[in-house]
Amino acid sequence: LHEVSGAVLRTRWVADKPSDGLTLVANRYHVHEEPVREGVVAQTFLLEDDGRLRATYMERTRVYLEMYEEMIGPYPYGKFATVENWFPTGYGMPSYTLLGGQVLRLPFIPYTSFGHQICHNWWGNSVFVDLEDGNWCEGLTVYCADYHYKKLESDEAAREYRRNLLKDYAAYVTDPDKDFPLSEFKSRHSGASRAVGYGKSMMVFHMIDRLVGRAGFQAGLRAVAAEHQFTAAGWSDFMDSFEAAGGVELDDFAVQWLTRRGAPELVLESPEFEESRVTFTLVQGEPLFDLQVPVVVTTPAGPVEHILDLEGASRKVEIEGTGITSVAVDP
């Protein structure tokens, strides 16, 4: 409720939904508001009245709200506001984001980081994080935002995004003392903590998606969002939800990927190509993981993917196929 009396503006905010924090932002703003749909409006709070910038963020707000309502469930607030800051920030709070003026005007931000902040209104702002068994929120938001946009672009762009996350992990977590299990991740404070808490966490959600299937994965997300709205959720709640939706037992998976540090190191040894098959040995270094390894062979008809179980230090593999010219482990 806004009331103007002379040179004084009095604003009354009523927030009837729980929040795990309260933030006050004040400045002299040019405020604009447009309806998104019944019960939800988009707002901009800009330091200068910039019609083109306003129109861009209004349009992207509508796109992202529609995207995440379809993916996760109804938007939990009555508005989403894009608020300009006078110094560089990229914060996501319940029902609004606080972005620095220079950040707002970078041409790629409305199509990347802006959507990430809107996604946080589901993960982190309305479904709170139970830190008892680790912060799942950043990895899931990366999966539903940054990585999802790459998947919409192309399979190649998505694969390259995953590859870059693995490069970051290999680069930043070479020192074992910098590594830690996901159950201990609370917040980012270094390159190594980002590589684990954001990158490795995102890859865990990617693996779950492959295990339970796209329909089961999305049903699991929607169930957590509905059942834990404005309450705290932990990794265990997601595992239970994915199990129920996908019909896959995830207890061992959770222990391996959430409570242990480290990541697999795979080697392809002794490949031999014959006319109708290829044979090789798949080897992993310490520590050992139970894995489902994608292996791609190139044939005259094109690439063919095989999913191989690897439960020990090595496995001899034989893949049938006429004219196989190459084999790649987890390309």
Side-chain angles (χ1 to χ4, degrees):
L1 177 63
H2 304 286
E3 296 177 347
V4 178
S5 177
V8 176
L9 169 66
R10 290 184 173 86
T11 302
R12 181 179 179 221
W13 297 88
V14 178
D16 55 3
K17 296 174 180 176
S19 175
D20 60 356
L22 183 63
T23 305
L24 175 65
V25 178
N27 212 316
R28 295 181 180 274
Y29 285 114
H30 295 269
V31 182
H32 189 75
E33 179 177 302
E34 294 180 5
V36 174
R37 59 167 175 77
E38 185 176 356
V40 179
V41 298
Q43 297 177 327
T44 55
F45 288 70
L46 301 179
L47 297 176
E48 297 180 4
D49 193 11
D50 187 329
R52 178 178 296 180
L53 189 68
R54 179 180 70 228
T56 296
Y57 280 95
M58 286 293 185
E59 186 270 337
R60 298 315 297 168
T61 297
R62 293 189 185 91
V63 168
Y64 288 123
L65 290 182
E66 180 179 348
M67 174 188 295
Y68 290 121
E69 287 198 319
E70 180 178 351
M71 179 190 297
I72 308 171
Y75 182 60
Y77 302 103
K79 70 134 187 357
F80 184 82
T82 303
V83 184
E84 184 176 359
N85 201 358
W86 58 272
F87 66 97
T89 55
Y91 297 144
M93 274 77 80
S95 81
Y96 73 101
T97 183
L98 182 65
L99 299 177
Q102 290 183 332
V103 175
L104 272 174
R105 289 165 175 79
L106 292 173
F108 58 88
I109 290 296
Y111 306 94
T112 54
S113 302
F114 181 62
H116 181 107
Q117 300 303 336
I118 290 183
C119 188
H120 265 308
N121 278 274
W122 281 267
W123 307 130
N125 287 333
S126 63
V127 178
F128 307 146
V129 179
D130 182 355
L131 292 176
E132 186 67 26
D133 57 357
N135 182 353
W136 49 266
C137 175
E138 298 300 345
L140 181 55
T141 304
V142 169
Y143 187 86
C144 292
D146 311 65
Y147 176 60
H148 181 64
Y149 310 150
K150 294 298 182 181
K151 287 203 296 181
L152 293 176
E153 182 180 332
S154 68
D155 290 341
E156 292 75 15
R159 185 170 60 248
E160 188 63 22
Y161 189 90
R162 298 194 305 270
R163 194 198 311 271
N164 286 333
L165 289 185
L166 299 181
K167 287 180 181 179
D168 285 346
Y169 183 89
Y172 286 110
V173 198
T174 51
D175 183 352
D177 291 337
K178 293 182 179 180
D179 202 358
F180 55 90
L182 279 172
S183 58
E184 295 180 8
F185 174 66
K186 301 297 188 285
S187 63
R188 177 185 66 184
H189 53 79
S190 65
S193 61
R194 179 182 177 86
V196 175
Y198 287 63
K200 183 178 179 179
S201 177
M202 194 231 83
M203 290 296 293
V204 167
F205 284 107
H206 168 65
M207 289 188 289
I208 295 172
D209 192 347
R210 289 176 64 98
L211 281 171
V212 305
R214 166 83 344 189
F217 185 81
Q218 289 195 315
L221 288 185
R222 287 192 288 266
V224 173
E227 295 167 10
H228 292 272
Q229 191 174 79
F230 302 113
T231 63
W235 274 108
S236 59
D237 297 302
F238 282 94
M239 294 300 170
D240 291 344
S241 186
F242 290 133
E243 281 189 345
V248 177
E249 193 276 318
L250 294 174
D251 287 349
D252 293 340
F253 178 94
V255 170
Q256 174 170 275
W257 294 110
L258 303 182
T259 68
R260 291 173 52 185
R261 68 177 66 193
E265 295 185 4
L266 300 175
V267 177
L268 187 154
E269 291 186 349
S270 306
E272 295 184 6
F273 296 89
E274 300 179 11
E275 183 176 345
S276 61
R277 66 177 182 173
V278 60
T279 60
F280 57 92
T281 301
L282 187 58
V283 180
Q284 67 167 316
E286 298 286 346
L288 299 180
F289 288 80
D290 290 340
L291 302 172
Q292 289 189 319
V293 183
V295 174
V296 177
V297 294
T298 303
T299 74
V304 180
E305 182 181 78
H306 300 264
I307 304 297
L308 305 180
D309 293 328
L310 181 61
E311 299 178 352
S314 65
R315 174 184 170 180
K316 292 185 177 179
V317 179
E318 177 180 307
I319 296 178
E320 300 286 343
T322 302
I324 295 176
T325 57
S326 68
V327 57
V329 172
D330 193 13

